[in-house]
Amino acid sequence: MSQNANEVVRELLTAGRMNDVVMLLRKLDLPTAAEVLAKAPYEDQRAIFRALPIDLAAAIVSRFPYYHEYVLLHSRPTKEIRAIIDTIDPTERMRFLDELPEEAWQRLMDELSGTTIEAPIQSDVARVSEAAGLRPAKSAEYIIEARDIEKQFQQPDGRQIQVIAPLDIYVESDAIIALLGPSGSGKSTLLRILSGLAQASAGTVLWHGKPLADAHPNVAIVFQSFALFPWLTVLENVEAPLIARGEQHKARHRRALHALSSVGLRGFENAYPKELSGGMKQRVGFARALAVEPEVLFMDEPFSALDVLTAENLRGELLELWQKRLIPTKTIFLVTHNIEEAVLLADRVIVLSTHPARIRADFRIPLVQPRDRKSAEFLVYVDYIYKVMTQPALELAPPGKVDRRTKPRYQMLPHARPGGMAGLLEFLNERGGKEDLYHLAEDLLMEVDDLFPIVEEAVLLGFATSKEGDVEITREGKAFAEAEIEARKKVFRDAILTHVPLMQQIRTALDRKSDGAVPLEFFRDVLDEHFSRGEVEAQIETVLNWGRYAELFVYDPENDRLLRRDSPVLHDLEHPGVPSE
Amino acid sequence: MTQRITSPTTPWGLLPRRTWSVLTDVPIFAAGLALFYSILVLARYWASPFSPEVHISNSPAALPGYALYSLLRIVVAYFLSLIFTLVYGYIAAYNSKAERFMIPLLDILQSIPVLSFLPGVMLAMVSMFPRHQFGIELGAILLIFTGQVWNMTFSFYSSLKSIPAEMHEAARIYRFTDWQRFTQMELPYAALGLIWNSMMSVAGGWFFLMACEMFVLGSRDFRLPGLGSYLQTAASAGDTHAILWGLVAMVGVIVLLDQLVWRPVIVWAQKFKFEQVESAEAPRSPILTLLRRSKALRLLNQRITRPLGERTALYFARRATSVGAAPDPKIRIWILRAIGVVTAIGILLALVDAVRLLGQLTRPDFQALGLGVGATFLRVFCALAIAVAWTVPVGVKIGFNPRLARIAQPLAQIAASVPATALFPVVLLVLIRVGGGLGVGSIVLLLLGTQWYVLFNVIAGAMAIPTDLKEATDIFRFGQREKWQKLILPGIFPYLVTGLVTAAGGAWNASIVAEYFHLNGQTISTVGLGATISHATDSGNFTLLLAATILMAGVVVTVNRTLWRPMYRLAETRFRLEG
């Protein structure tokens, strides 16, 4: 039903009959009207929203998620925003204001109280249509479509580790798509499956409707560590894929030079990679990718290995190339663990969860380029992503696609040290005990990969709670932060014995033995049942770090075993030849 | 005095037009001509019938010719090794099923002392070509091949396996042709390792060549004209004049080889170093500069090599893009199966025959074997102990003192490059004059061949100890003993183990020629496994020969697994310098 409605809306809009659109929306019931509006292209959405009368606007907009609601609201002048918000149902209004991050909320309040000047907002209709004229209408067909794909890895002992749970993903044309996830979430594997480098364990991947394996997709990848051949010059590196396609010397030379010009490396053709800086090396990587004129440009964390300023510079140049249509690529598929980068660049963001990888969220960012990092709208999206990523692992996949093989999960310790957590708790304590996650990340200059494990550790041990993208310190956490080192260790010890079953097991095992020594191999075997080989080692390392900090046991590396603190064996080790009391 | 060449990594087409015209081209042409002529001469010589009494001249005038013969044998064996390496290493690296047995096989083959094959291979080759000198030449070349090939193959295989995944992925996503992958990714990545191992292999090749250019087998006297036989003849005759000339020629050939071949190749190969940042110190070679500046070579490159490379690359690209029918996999499987079955049957037959032969061993044979193993083991142990005793202090001293290193290293390298087996006859003479039996004297011989491995590794290990650790011991006023115990010995441990492993292998090998010797028509020998092998070869007792060879191989492999492997693991875990 709404399919037809969308078509009708489109026709009406092209004919310029906005009033008829409004009348149509009024006739539909609210859920359907909201759906119709959501499915329309963004330029149209804002145009329609501006034309809606206040009551209808209030009713429809409160059905949208808060970040979308915020952006839509700001397509109207402040007076009207005030009116709409007053008209919205009080419960909905409360929900909306609650969910907003601080900056956005603050700005909204300022606007409503009249203390801000009406500054042009990024989702301004005029600018939207101006920018829209530079890019053609989206085509409905997907370039890459992946259905029910899974990936498992075989362990040496024959067990299977599920890296990617069955999921669907599609890559449409004319967009920058960002795939977000913490390290080890399988996003790089997903990229390799979509680009044809790796095979999925199950499911199908289609390229323009045909199986990927049969098609010869024209794609390119820009790698995190550049993947340049050190013994070839810059020009030879860029020409290499062209030689593979059998291009003659003159033609490929010209093409390679053109690609190098567009990334600004003309003049460096005969340099070797080892003479170049990191940023320049990645430009060569880009030039090589662009030289083959790929239909889809895949990028695997392309800016992670660069310093902040160079990365910023390259991002800007990439955007410029994309927007000015200087590259023939139809879609850019970017894999990253940097939330700000995703919001800065992408038209569409897909957020993955880990162990195994599932799609947590898949939404569009309608903000127009260039995007201002400090603007409220930007922060709305950043905050939303933090919220999504710290959601407890609920069943996020649509019903019917549940992975039936999941067992109740064995507790996996986050890879974080007590020292890091102590620092976080002290910081939180100073700040009054509660803070937005994205603020924390910004102030501590930490990325998701570094911050999340520490937060997880604090939450696991009951020193903090994490909800809706906020971290709040608990009473125990406050005690920990304010205590001295010895007292801290006691608090820590109590916490791990309460909340980490494995630690309790270790303590019981150590108590039971007369010599107070337990080989670590025993616990490795326990963990082996639930984790891959590499993860087992990481878990053991974490256990050792925490246990030693808590002074729960001593580790004897020579014999790879844990010792009780008052174990006679320990005494012999430390004081050989001296009889114990 | 020190002038830096402009970055040795600039490609051909960009060098300045400045050339020295004809003067640079003449020596290059001359070298090419000489190479071509010597191949002609050799071809003529090999076809001549077997002359059982090859006369090895004593006069120094014959030396250039002999040197050339020896050199050519090494070169041919090297190229055979290279081809084998590329094929074997490639298959083992990319075919996981083959890998599972190819690599352990390589490991075992590497542990078998090469010289124990000497009699067998020689006899086999001679019986295949009884009328021509070619048989012995082939035998010598094959023997050198078995000494050279294993470490090169290992190096190539491990290089292929350690290519970073992203390079592979880049090659796949950009659809590199097989040729492109090989010439632009795999070969360059393996280049440095191959080159260093080639240098080691060729040095090892000299060692074996000297031993097998002249030896007696029962009633037959095999001789090949070359430096080894020259030195042995001179030593037998006691002609010190000739001996000295021979040694000079030996050192000369090795130095020439180093300067004309290895140095330029190493400098050229710096561009294959897989580093992300240019290192400050680049090695240089005047010969390479000469070659680079030569106008003739540049023309050759532009007119012939470059277009040829381009055509080959495009040819493969065209083949890849055109759709072709894949070869029938079923036929391939059946062919492989057939080969497998035939090989298995062949191995089985050989094993049965061998066991039958072994069944003929007598009691005194077992006694000789048992005593021999013990004696040689003791000797190898003593040689290693003495080597460690002097190389560790000296090596550490040199390694800690860069100025000393700059003087001492080239000297040590020259001393080390002279193959010990060439010196054996000379040293033996001295030992006989001095008195004392071969029992102790052979330890000296073993030492000669193996101490250099240990020395160089200790120097490298001492250089690798980071300065801040040394400074820490100074600040905290460590005593000498503590310094050695806590810093130096653990620091050089991994390198020492590497050196010892190579030295031990070399010592077992050398024992075959060190414990049993023909001199002036006399036979000097001592109790030992090497002597048993040589004696059995002499008297044609193939049963004993087989048993002794198997025993020696078995001992080396066992020691490898039980002693060296755990030490390697200890070096990897406990004594690694970085975290």
Side-chain angles (χ1 to χ4, degrees), chain B residues 197-517:
Chain B
N197 276 281
S198 299
M199 287 174 70
M200 268 176 43
S201 291
V202 168
W206 282 113
F207 185 89
F208 299 124
L209 185 63
M210 296 298 110
C212 63
E213 270 181 350
M214 173 163 156
F215 69 99
V216 172
L217 203 63
S219 58
R220 309 160 83 164
D221 187 348
F222 293 107
R223 290 193 205 172
L224 291 166
L227 280 175
S229 48
Y230 181 90
L231 280 168
Q232 283 195 42
T233 322
S236 311
D239 186 348
T240 36
H241 186 72
I243 292 177
L244 257 125
W245 274 113
L247 285 176
V248 165
M250 175 100 265
V251 174
V253 169
I254 290 186
V255 169
L256 266 176
L257 200 63
D258 186 58
Q259 286 300 312
L260 290 180
V261 178
W262 294 130
R263 295 253 115 220
V265 169
I266 288 185
V267 172
W268 171 72
Q270 287 308 303
K271 80 171 183 169
F272 298 122
K273 235 172 159 180
F274 199 74
E275 57 189 8
Q276 297 298 346
V277 181
E278 200 160 14
S279 59
E281 277 266 358
R284 29 204 183 91
S285 154
I287 302 293
L288 189 63
T289 337
L290 196 84
L291 284 174
R292 281 204 172 123
R293 297 218 175 119
S294 146
K295 203 166 180 192
L297 271 177
R298 194 165 352 128
L299 245 109
L300 189 75
N301 193 37
Q302 271 179 331
R303 293 286 170 76
I304 300 187
T305 344
R306 274 276 186 80
L308 204 64
E310 174 89 11
R311 287 234 194 89
T312 330
L314 287 180
Y315 165 72
F316 279 101
R318 244 172 289 132
R319 249 184 41 164
T321 47
S322 65
V323 184
D328 193 353
K330 279 222 196 113
I331 297 181
R332 257 196 26 199
I333 295 180
W334 275 113
I335 292 180
L336 281 173
R337 285 214 188 125
I339 295 179
V341 166
V342 167
T343 324
I345 293 180
I347 293 178
L348 221 63
L349 284 175
L351 275 177
V352 165
D353 208 27
V355 169
R356 205 170 28 94
L357 205 61
L358 282 177
Q360 297 172 7
L361 280 176
T362 61
R363 204 139 203 278
D365 284 340
F366 277 116
Q367 270 181 333
L369 284 174
L371 279 176
V373 155
T376 311
F377 195 88
L378 219 59
R379 271 191 210 105
V380 169
F381 182 78
C382 285
L384 286 181
I386 300 177
V388 167
W390 81 263
T391 55
V392 168
V394 172
V396 167
K397 190 93 201 260
I398 295 180
F400 277 5
N401 188 337
R403 230 170 350 124
L404 193 57
R406 232 176 300 148
I407 308 171
Q409 257 190 324
L411 284 177
Q413 267 170 354
I414 292 183
S417 55
V418 181
T421 33
L423 296 175
F424 271 12
V426 188
V427 173
L428 216 57
L429 267 185
V430 173
L431 276 177
I432 293 174
R433 292 226 185 109
V434 162
L438 196 57
V440 172
S442 57
I443 298 184
V444 174
L445 293 172
L446 293 183
L447 201 57
L448 259 184
T450 60
Q451 63 198 353
W452 306 112
Y453 292 123
V454 188
L455 179 65
F456 288 129
N457 274 287
V458 170
I459 295 181
M463 282 177 148
I465 295 183
T467 337
D468 49 6
L469 285 183
K470 286 189 228 163
E471 286 172 352
T473 58
D474 284 338
I475 290 279
F476 292 119
R477 313 259 178 123
F478 273 34
Q480 273 296 73
R481 204 182 107 163
E482 221 185 333
K483 198 169 174 186
W484 275 87
Q485 215 184 344
K486 296 256 166 74
L487 175 67
I488 299 180
L489 287 177
I492 62 173
F493 183 76
Y495 294 83
L496 193 58
V497 171
T498 317
L500 282 176
V501 171
T502 332
W508 280 100
N509 241 318
S511 70
I512 298 180
V513 284
E515 289 174 350
Y516 187 95
F517 223 80

